């Protein structure tokens, strides 16, 4: 369960899709990001645009740490990290659920297979949560309609009470009034 939670923390919402970033997948599979991307490039027919896409700079900025997004132009050597391989040169790829499933056919190690199963379970848990939330939203809509009905009924009751009060105040005006005319 802990591994599923850690995977769920690495799933992002980008372009209306739930995706995982190539470097997170590489870390989970126990391979380098470069090796994962090379395997994908070798099998690029298996990864259409709805399975995998390259993030824009803005999307990468929302997902990655700001320090990592120093796409190194050589004039920015001051802000680059000193350790080799710590600055990203290329925009990362985002893999949808179907793209991650396709990765299992490209990466064939035992760890990749087990991790792929865990990732699929994480996506299923997210889907279950969303279904439960939609059920709760439906119940809230029903409660709102009931409250609207009750509000209209209460408004009718208040109007009727005001009418009764107006009638009683009109009667009091006549009762407390001094009579005029012939007295016997």
């Amino acid at each position: 369960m802990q591994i599923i939670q850690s995977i769920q923390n690495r799933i992002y919402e980008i372009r209306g899709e739930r995706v995982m970033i190539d470097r997170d997948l590489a870390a989970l599979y126990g391979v380098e990001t470069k090796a994962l991307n090379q395997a994908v490039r070798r099998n690029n027919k298996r990864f259409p645009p709805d399975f995998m896409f390259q993030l824009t700079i803005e999307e990468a900025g929302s997902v990655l740490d700001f320090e990592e997004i120093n796409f190194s132009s050589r004039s920015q050597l001051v802000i680059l990290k000193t350790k080799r391989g710590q600055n990203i040169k290329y925009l990362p790829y985002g893999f949808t659920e179907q793209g991650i499933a396709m990765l299992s056919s490209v990466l064939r190690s035992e760890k990749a297979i087990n991790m792929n199963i865990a990732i699929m379970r994480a996506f299923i848990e997210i889907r279950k949560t969303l279904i439960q939330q939609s059920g709760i939203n439906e119940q809230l809509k029903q409660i709102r309609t009931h409250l609207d009905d009750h509000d209209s009924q209460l408004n009718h009751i208040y109007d009727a009470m005001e009418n009764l009060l107006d009638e009683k105040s009109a009667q009091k005006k006549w009762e407390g009034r001094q009579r005029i005319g012939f007295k016997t």
Side-chain angles (χ1 to χ4, degrees):
M1 191 65 179
Q2 185 180 9
I3 187 115
I4 291 177
Q5 185 63 38
S6 106
I7 292 169
Q8 286 177 343
N9 292 338
R10 296 177 184 195
I11 296 174
Y12 303 100
E13 182 86 20
I14 300 174
R15 298 182 195 175
E17 296 279 339
R18 285 186 296 279
V19 299
M20 289 186 75
I21 307 303
D22 56 1
R23 73 166 190 173
D24 291 338
L25 287 167
L28 290 171
Y29 291 141
V31 297
E32 290 185 16
T33 307
K34 181 178 178 180
L36 182 127
N37 287 333
Q38 284 176 343
V40 169
R41 267 187 252 114
R42 280 193 299 265
N43 299 286
N44 65 350
K45 290 182 181 178
R46 294 180 185 224
F47 296 95
D50 57 326
F51 283 22
M52 177 192 88
F53 53 87
Q54 193 166 25
L55 276 63
T56 63
I57 293 174
E58 293 82 21
E59 292 167 341
S62 69
V63 172
L64 302 173
D65 295 332
F66 182 74
E67 297 170 353
E68 297 178 81
I69 306 179
N70 294 324
F71 294 102
S72 58
S73 66
R74 295 299 169 201
S75 64
Q76 294 180 336
L77 286 176
V78 177
I79 59 174
L80 292 176
K81 294 181 181 177
T82 56
K83 192 172 179 184
R84 180 179 165 94
Q86 290 213 348
N87 294 295
I88 59 175
K89 295 179 186 177
Y90 306 106
L91 289 168
Y93 289 95
F95 290 85
T96 63
E97 185 176 354
Q98 295 82 11
I100 294 168
M102 191 59 72
L103 274 174
S104 67
S105 65
V106 175
L107 301 172
R108 297 186 183 151
S109 72
E110 189 68 30
K111 183 174 184 174
I113 292 169
N114 292 333
M115 193 52 63
N116 217 17
I117 291 169
I119 291 170
M120 291 300 116
R121 287 183 178 147
F123 273 101
I124 289 168
E125 288 296 320
I126 289 174
R127 196 172 293 117
K128 284 180 185 177
T129 304
L130 291 175
I131 289 171
Q132 288 174 349
Q133 285 180 346
S134 67
I136 291 171
N137 287 341
E138 186 63 34
Q139 288 176 351
L140 286 175
K141 285 180 185 177
Q142 290 175 353
I143 290 170
R144 281 188 196 125
T145 57
H146 286 299
L147 287 176
D148 288 341
D149 291 342
H150 291 299
D151 283 346
S152 65
Q153 291 171 359
L154 286 173
N155 284 335
H156 290 301
I157 291 171
Y158 291 141
D159 290 340
M161 288 173 62
E162 282 182 15
N163 289 338
L164 286 174
L165 290 174
D166 288 342
E167 287 176 14
K168 287 201 177 213
S169 66
Q171 285 176 353
K172 284 185 180 179
K173 285 182 185 177
W174 283 104
E175 290 172 3
R177 190 171 159 191
Q178 189 177 30
R179 295 200 176 258
I180 58 171
F182 184 72
K183 295 182 184 176
T184 57

